[in-house]
Amino acid sequence: QRAERHLSEKLFEGGYIKVLCTTATLAWGINLPAYCTIIKGTQIYDGNVGEFRDIGIFDVQQIFGRAGRPQYDVEGEGIICTTVNKVDDYVKMMSNEQNIESHLHTNLDDCLNAEISIGTVTTTTEAIQWIKFTYLWIRLKRNPRYYGVDLKSMQEDPGMNTYLIRLVSEAFQRLNSYKLVKYFSKADQVSTTDMGRISSNYYVNVKTMDYFIKNITVTTPEEKLLFHMAHSSEFSQIRGRPEEEEELTKLYKECSYIDIEKDEILENYGKTLILLESYLRGQKIEIADLSYIVQNAARVMRALFEFCLKKNFSRLTRECLKWCKLIDRRLPPDGHPLRQFTYLCNVGKLTNSTEKSSAENLMPTSIANDLEKHRISLDQINKKGDDDLIYYAVGPAYAGKMYEYVRHIPQIEIQTTTKTLTRSILEIHITVFPKFVWHKRWNGK
């Protein structure tokens, strides 16, 4: 809890606590100088790759930067505990003997697609000029062999223009095959498409968009949308580990909306779907990949919604929008709409983590449970004449509390008037009236 963290920091700062143990994430952000900082182990879990990796030199320097109190000490100590085979690597990194290479060339397709979508790059020449402003160009001149430029090519083309032209042209051709850009090689012109803009706007991998284009059609069943979402490149590194099989199997038995078989629970898409639905249902989950899956699922599903919208897949667009709202509000697929006002759907939510949710003024969870138990829909609550049924379901003490939240759910009233202008033209006037009370906490600012 935040209050406990602040208390620990004050006690340490005041000298009442001599040793402060923190996680790596907390150590990066904590602002408490000490005489000595110790990194106990250099392996940290990286959700982006789905496995443990060595802590980077910048993280080491950030943590070691806390060692030494300017107003109290003239020196500080930094101690790093690691395995024998990693000692030399960290010694070289700390003494600046190990060069940091660029990895832009491994993700060039995504970067160029973003530049093309905003109009920064329209030709091969502009793409090469853009590359020459990046760290890739700096390291390419100093260590060309690392990037696949052999000695003969370096002697024939010291400026490495041939290498850059080939690098950019191959990226354009791949993006053109994915249908994210239109590339005219003879005219040396490249322009974006609707699919390319969606990929850029939502930071979705170009291979994910290629998968959507090839596999999602107007006849795709609605229940397969989550299945296709879980097959996106963003979840390709999720790995099901043997030690997780028992917990995943237990969670799988509680799921009802995912379309996978029991023998697929350790596959990357199977694990993704199980953890996503279990999160929406409020299950207690001890698997480290949960946060990564939920945050990326919200983004990928939003991109999938716009994909279906641009393709005019109206049925799938409606289904995607439903799942976008479920993930954002942390609602179970069969949950009552009023459940979004309860504690579980607001406090500790993994989406929109920058918005701090207070536990105050939330609807009691028992109201949502009673409404789901008696299968009382939102339409029945809004319909006059069903008050006796509602009072019976939630009790008179909670009925008034419930109606306070009902009035914040967006509802509109539409009035239309038509006027015939010609035999083939109608003039239609539409007036929309809001029938809800706007609240910045529930409806946004």
Side-chain angles (χ1 to χ4, degrees), residues 246-375:
E246 183 179 352
E247 183 177 357
L248 287 172
T249 302
K250 181 180 178 181
L251 294 172
Y252 173 76
K253 294 178 181 179
E254 300 293 329
C255 296
S256 58
Y257 278 82
I258 57 176
D259 187 25
I260 61 170
E261 299 297 331
K262 187 176 180 180
D263 57 355
E264 297 175 303
I265 61 175
L266 289 181
E267 299 291 339
N268 63 317
Y269 58 89
K271 180 179 177 180
T272 297
L273 292 174
I274 291 172
L275 292 184
L276 180 60
E277 183 172 340
S278 299
Y279 164 78
L280 297 180
R281 293 189 178 279
Q283 301 282 357
K284 185 178 180 181
I285 303 171
E286 302 294 340
I287 298 177
D289 294 309
L290 177 65
S291 179
Y292 174 85
I293 289 173
V294 173
Q295 291 175 0
N296 282 275
R299 177 172 53 86
V300 174
M301 185 56 75
R302 199 73 189 180
L304 187 55
F305 163 74
E306 286 214 18
F307 167 83
C308 294
L309 188 64
K310 292 293 183 182
K311 289 285 188 178
N312 294 323
F313 301 159
S314 57
R315 177 176 53 85
L316 298 180
T317 300
R318 181 182 61 184
E319 186 70 10
C320 284
L321 182 60
K322 181 191 82 172
W323 281 104
C324 286
K325 291 188 289 186
L326 290 176
I327 296 172
D328 184 59
R329 295 295 183 180
R330 197 184 182 183
L331 276 173
D334 51 359
H336 197 279
L338 287 178
R339 185 172 287 279
Q340 64 188 291
F341 298 108
T342 61
Y343 179 88
L344 182 66
C345 297
N346 286 273
V347 180
K349 204 168 52 168
L350 295 179
T351 53
N352 299 327
S353 57
T354 56
E355 298 178 5
K356 303 301 180 183
S357 295
S358 170
E360 299 177 357
N361 301 320
L362 294 174
M363 189 182 79
T365 306
S366 60
I367 295 179
N369 293 338
D370 291 335
L371 292 173
E372 291 170 358
K373 178 181 177 181
H374 293 87
R375 297 182 180 180

Side-chain angles (χ1 to χ4, degrees), residues 118-133:
I118 62 176
T120 306
V121 171
T122 58
T123 64
T124 303
T125 303
E126 291 177 351
I128 293 174
Q129 290 175 347
W130 176 80
I131 289 177
K132 288 185 176 181
F133 280 100

Side-chain angles (χ1 to χ4, degrees), residues 212 225-233 235-236 268-270 272-273:
F212 288 165
L225 276 177
L226 280 181
F227 180 81
H228 288 308
M229 185 272 295
H231 274 77
S232 60
S233 300
F235 305 108
S236 60
N268 63 317
Y269 58 89
T272 297
L273 292 174

Side-chain angles (χ1 to χ4, degrees), residues 26-76:
L26 189 60
W28 290 322
I30 202 169
N31 191 23
L32 292 174
Y35 175 75
C36 176
T37 57
I38 302 173
I39 299 176
K40 183 179 178 293
T42 56
Q43 289 272 307
I44 60 173
Y45 185 79
D46 187 352
N48 292 326
V49 295
E51 59 185 21
F52 285 89
R53 64 169 178 83
D54 290 318
I55 189 171
I57 183 59
F58 295 117
D59 298 326
V60 172
Q61 291 175 340
Q62 174 77 2
I63 296 173
F64 277 0
R66 308 301 178 198
R69 298 170 295 179
Q71 65 271 38
Y72 302 112
D73 304 316
V74 295
E75 62 179 5

Side-chain angles (χ1 to χ4, degrees), residues 13-295:
E13 191 174 15
Y16 301 100
I17 295 178
K18 301 301 180 183
V19 178
L20 189 64
C21 299
T22 74
T23 61
T25 307
L26 189 60
W28 290 322
I30 202 169
N31 191 23
L32 292 174
Y35 175 75
C36 176
T37 57
I38 302 173
I39 299 176
K40 183 179 178 293
T42 56
Q43 289 272 307
I44 60 173
Y45 185 79
D46 187 352
N48 292 326
V49 295
E51 59 185 21
F52 285 89
R53 64 169 178 83
D54 290 318
I55 189 171
I57 183 59
F58 295 117
D59 298 326
V60 172
Q61 291 175 340
Q62 174 77 2
I63 296 173
F64 277 0
R66 308 301 178 198
R69 298 170 295 179
Q71 65 271 38
Y72 302 112
D73 304 316
V74 295
E75 62 179 5
E77 290 186 8
I79 301 173
I80 185 169
C81 304
T82 186
T83 54
V84 175
N85 60 326
K86 296 293 181 182
V87 172
D88 289 341
D89 293 335
Y90 281 105
V91 170
K92 290 179 181 179
M93 285 191 287
M94 292 300 294
S95 58
N96 294 323
E97 293 181 6
Q98 188 177 58
N99 292 320
I100 300 174
E101 300 295 345
S102 170
H103 291 273
L104 177 63
H105 60 294
T106 61
N107 296 296
L108 191 60
D109 292 358
D110 292 293
C111 297
L112 281 179
N113 178 62
E115 297 298 326
I116 294 168
S117 70
I118 62 176
T120 306
V121 171
T122 58
T123 64
T124 303
T125 303
E126 291 177 351
I128 293 174
Q129 290 175 347
W130 176 80
I131 289 177
K132 288 185 176 181
F133 280 100
T134 66
Y135 185 63
L136 171 63
W137 175 243
I138 295 173
R139 293 307 306 165
L140 186 60
K141 290 186 294 182
R142 297 186 180 181
N143 188 15
R145 290 189 177 183
Y146 180 84
Y147 302 95
V149 182
D150 55 31
L151 182 61
K152 182 180 179 181
S153 300
M154 290 165 56
Q155 292 173 343
E156 294 176 351
D157 184 19
M160 287 179 282
N161 288 318
T162 304
Y163 172 82
L164 291 177
I165 291 172
R166 177 173 58 84
L167 189 69
V168 170
S169 298
E170 289 176 354
F172 283 174
Q173 290 169 6
R174 285 191 297 269
L175 292 173
N176 186 71
S177 67
Y178 297 155
K179 299 181 181 179
L180 302 183
V181 303
K182 293 179 180 178
Y183 176 48
F184 305 96
S185 55
K186 293 182 179 180
D188 190 25
Q189 292 288 325
V190 62
S191 59
T192 190
T193 64
D194 288 336
M195 300 299 107
R197 290 191 194 94
I198 294 172
S199 175
S200 173
N201 292 342
Y202 291 96
Y203 303 98
V204 172
N205 191 285
V206 293
K207 292 182 179 179
T208 296
M209 291 304 299
D210 180 50
Y211 174 84
F212 288 165
I213 292 170
K214 290 179 179 177
N215 292 278
I216 299 179
T217 65
V218 68
T219 58
T220 299
E222 296 175 11
E223 58 271 15
K224 281 288 184 180
L225 276 177
L226 280 181
F227 180 81
H228 288 308
M229 185 272 295
H231 274 77
S232 60
S233 300
E234 279 71 11
F235 305 108
S236 60
Q237 78 283 355
I238 299 294
R239 294 180 176 89
R241 304 171 186 82
E243 61 268 22
E244 298 172 344
E245 185 172 6
E246 183 179 352
E247 183 177 357
L248 287 172
T249 302
K250 181 180 178 181
L251 294 172
Y252 173 76
K253 294 178 181 179
E254 300 293 329
C255 296
S256 58
Y257 278 82
I258 57 176
D259 187 25
I260 61 170
E261 299 297 331
K262 187 176 180 180
D263 57 355
E264 297 175 303
I265 61 175
L266 289 181
E267 299 291 339
N268 63 317
Y269 58 89
K271 180 179 177 180
T272 297
L273 292 174
I274 291 172
L275 292 184
L276 180 60
E277 183 172 340
S278 299
Y279 164 78
L280 297 180
R281 293 189 178 279
Q283 301 282 357
K284 185 178 180 181
I285 303 171
E286 302 294 340
I287 298 177
D289 294 309
L290 177 65
S291 179
Y292 174 85
I293 289 173
V294 173
Q295 291 175 0

